[in-house]
Amino acid sequence: SSGINAEWPLRPGRRNTARLLRNLSFDTKTHTALVEYLPQIVYPLVGGEEIDEEDMDKLPIDLQYLPEDKCREPDLQTRTYLSDTLFQMGGTYSVREKYREENYYELLKNYDQWEEDDDARERIQNTIYLIVQNDGEVDLRKDGDVPEGVEEAEEVVIVKREESEKTSVENMGS
């Protein structure tokens, strides 16, 4: 399998690649391009757990039948960046569909059970939540497009909140 290789000796290189992927994932316009690299993004988080045949067949070919001794990425920060990337990408409908169609749930569930760091576990659990929830419960976007008026409404709420805070502060001073 290509991509971020856990056996690659230069840990800073892997971490920087993962950081770059995470930063790219903050822009929803990149999700359709990044989705082509999902197997490489997920590969460092995958171990050699046994997966039943039916679930295995749904996985991308690069993630099928990995050796039992396949090691996960040893660097916590790199794993965190990759989890963040998967979560950000999961904000796009077509990516969530790909997660479901290609059974990424199985791999991420195994990673969640393996991960010992609470913060890292919470991050991957957020991605798992996106996969298992009905799309109507996840967000308003479909492929990164925000419905008309939503951005304006959010700005109005922020402005009203700021005005409310100013009023509260002014009232405290009198």
Side-chain angles (χ1 to χ4, degrees):
S1 188
S2 58
I4 301 175
N5 186 345
E7 285 76 32
W8 186 31
L10 302 174
R11 184 174 293 176
R14 292 195 313 266
R15 183 183 290 181
N16 288 336
T17 301
R19 181 183 298 132
L20 173 65
L21 289 167
R22 186 206 52 185
N23 291 345
L24 287 170
S25 73
F26 289 129
D27 182 355
T28 57
K29 294 180 191 100
T30 67
H31 294 179
T32 51
L34 287 175
V35 77
E36 299 303 318
Y37 299 97
L38 263 177
Q40 291 82 7
I41 294 169
V42 172
Y43 181 82
L45 303 177
V46 177
E49 290 88 3
E50 193 171 311
I51 297 175
D52 48 271
E53 199 73 27
E54 188 178 318
D55 289 329
M56 184 70 74
D57 289 341
K58 295 176 189 173
L59 292 173
I61 201 85
D62 287 346
L63 297 173
Q64 292 182 8
Y65 303 103
L66 297 174
E68 285 180 28
D69 63 348
K70 196 272 184 203
C71 294
R72 287 186 170 85
E73 170 58 49
D75 181 58
L76 173 62
Q77 190 62 56
T78 300
R79 295 192 311 269
T80 301
Y81 287 147
L82 294 172
S83 295
D84 288 347
T85 301
L86 295 170
F87 177 72
Q88 291 297 324
M89 290 174 62
T92 300
Y93 176 79
S94 61
V95 176
R96 287 192 305 276
E97 285 298 300
K98 185 117 174 150
Y99 287 166
R100 293 175 186 131
E101 289 167 12
E102 297 187 357
N103 207 19
Y104 281 94
Y105 169 79
E106 281 299 316
L107 299 174
L108 300 181
K109 177 185 72 171
N110 287 338
Y111 166 58
D112 174 50
Q113 292 170 353
W114 173 88
E115 181 60 68
E116 294 177 358
D117 182 82
D118 290 339
D119 182 53
R121 288 191 74 200
E122 183 177 333
R123 290 166 189 259
I124 204 62
Q125 287 168 357
N126 289 337
T127 303
I128 291 169
Y129 172 80
L130 291 176
I131 297 170
V132 299
Q133 289 300 306
N134 294 328
D135 280 322
E137 299 171 16
V138 175
D139 65 13
L140 300 171
R141 293 171 290 174
K142 190 164 183 154
D143 286 323
D145 294 331
V146 179
E148 221 172 282
V150 169
E151 289 174 332
E152 295 169 352
E154 289 172 350
E155 289 175 25
V156 169
V157 170
I158 292 167
V159 169
K160 285 185 179 180
R161 186 177 302 138
E162 288 173 356
E163 289 173 0
S164 170
E165 289 170 1
K166 283 181 190 173
T167 305
S168 297
V169 171
E170 290 169 4
N171 289 341
M172 288 172 56
S174 48

